[in-house]
Amino acid sequence: METKEQFEQVMAECRALFAKKLHDYGAAWRIMRPTSLTDQIYIKANRIRSIETKGVNLVGEGIASEFIGIVNYAIIGLIQLELGYSETPDDMTEQEALAAYDKHAKKTLALMLRKNHDYDEAWRGMRISSYTDIILMKIFRTKQIESLGGDTLVSEGIDANYMDMMNYAVFGLIKLTFGEEENQK
């Protein structure tokens, strides 16, 4: 199976969970500011690192569910950057939320395919723990950009960092789903 197909399969699982939570909770996340979403992604990535480091998971949900959370919060972050946050969670229907999800998932897939071409699938030779560290680094970069009010000199914006975090989380999910050995070049 090619990277694009693996990406799409993993994203279908992420979207399915997003849709179920959207049904249960509505678009309650619409009230969250991007800085809060960055912190939510931090919580997920930090938990992955904790599990990787300690080798013990006391909550029950494992690394895969946290990577899914990173993917979904990154997409929510992209939606919030585009639309701004809302004072109430009822300004977006389920259909509108899913359409926005699909739009940003498609855009992030296109970015991954371009980078994957140029980097020749180097991610396949990396360890899952490296994805975690890179996601954490991108979170701290994002927090710095947020502290600067988005006023950077040479760096990409918050949206690019959200897309990169999402792509590294998808890489982790691909390896967890399809196996690391199968994915080595």
Side-chain angles (χ1 to χ4, degrees), residues 1-183:
M1 187 178 290
E2 292 185 26
T3 298
K4 182 178 185 286
E5 294 166 321
Q6 290 174 332
F7 186 102
E8 290 171 337
Q9 183 173 327
V10 164
M11 283 303 302
E13 292 174 29
C14 295
R15 186 187 189 276
L17 181 61
F18 180 85
K20 288 175 185 174
K21 288 190 175 195
L22 190 60
H23 173 270
D24 290 350
Y25 305 130
W29 47 265
R30 283 289 293 134
I31 68 160
M32 294 183 78
R33 293 168 287 187
T35 53
S36 297
L37 290 160
T38 301
D39 287 341
Q40 281 297 123
I41 296 168
Y42 169 73
I43 290 168
K44 300 292 185 187
N46 195 62
R47 181 163 183 271
I48 293 169
R49 187 168 169 152
S50 175
I51 293 169
E52 290 170 345
T53 303
K54 295 174 186 172
V56 177
N57 169 7
L58 299 180
V59 174
E61 292 184 340
I63 291 172
S65 66
E66 300 298 348
F67 276 133
I68 291 169
I70 290 170
V71 168
N72 287 342
Y73 277 121
I75 289 183
I76 290 169
L78 291 167
I79 294 169
Q80 297 298 77
L81 287 173
E82 179 183 25
L83 301 178
Y85 66 92
S86 175
E87 294 299 327
T88 63
D90 57 359
D91 74 330
M92 181 177 273
T93 67
E94 284 185 37
Q95 294 76 23
E96 291 168 334
L98 289 170
Y101 186 102
D102 293 341
K103 172 186 170 183
H104 290 288
K106 183 178 178 181
K107 185 176 177 181
T108 303
L109 168 62
L111 174 67
M112 184 279 296
L113 291 172
R114 289 190 309 272
K115 287 186 172 186
N116 203 38
H117 173 271
D118 289 357
Y119 288 95
D120 200 25
E121 299 212 338
W123 67 271
R124 290 195 183 270
M126 296 170 63
R127 297 171 186 92
I128 293 174
S129 60
S130 294
Y131 307 148
T132 306
D133 291 348
I134 291 169
I135 291 167
L136 283 165
M137 176 196 61
K138 292 200 172 278
I139 290 166
F140 288 115
R141 286 181 175 183
T142 301
K143 286 183 174 205
Q144 177 64 23
I145 294 168
E146 289 168 345
S147 295
L148 294 171
D151 188 22
T152 61
L153 299 177
V154 296
S155 301
E156 296 177 308
I158 294 168
D159 59 339
N161 281 284
Y162 279 157
M163 286 191 281
D164 285 346
M165 289 178 224
M166 182 178 145
N167 278 329
Y168 280 107
V170 170
F171 294 158
L173 287 165
I174 287 172
K175 284 202 171 191
L176 291 169
T177 302
F178 298 101
E180 288 195 48
E181 289 73 30
E182 180 182 323
N183 291 325

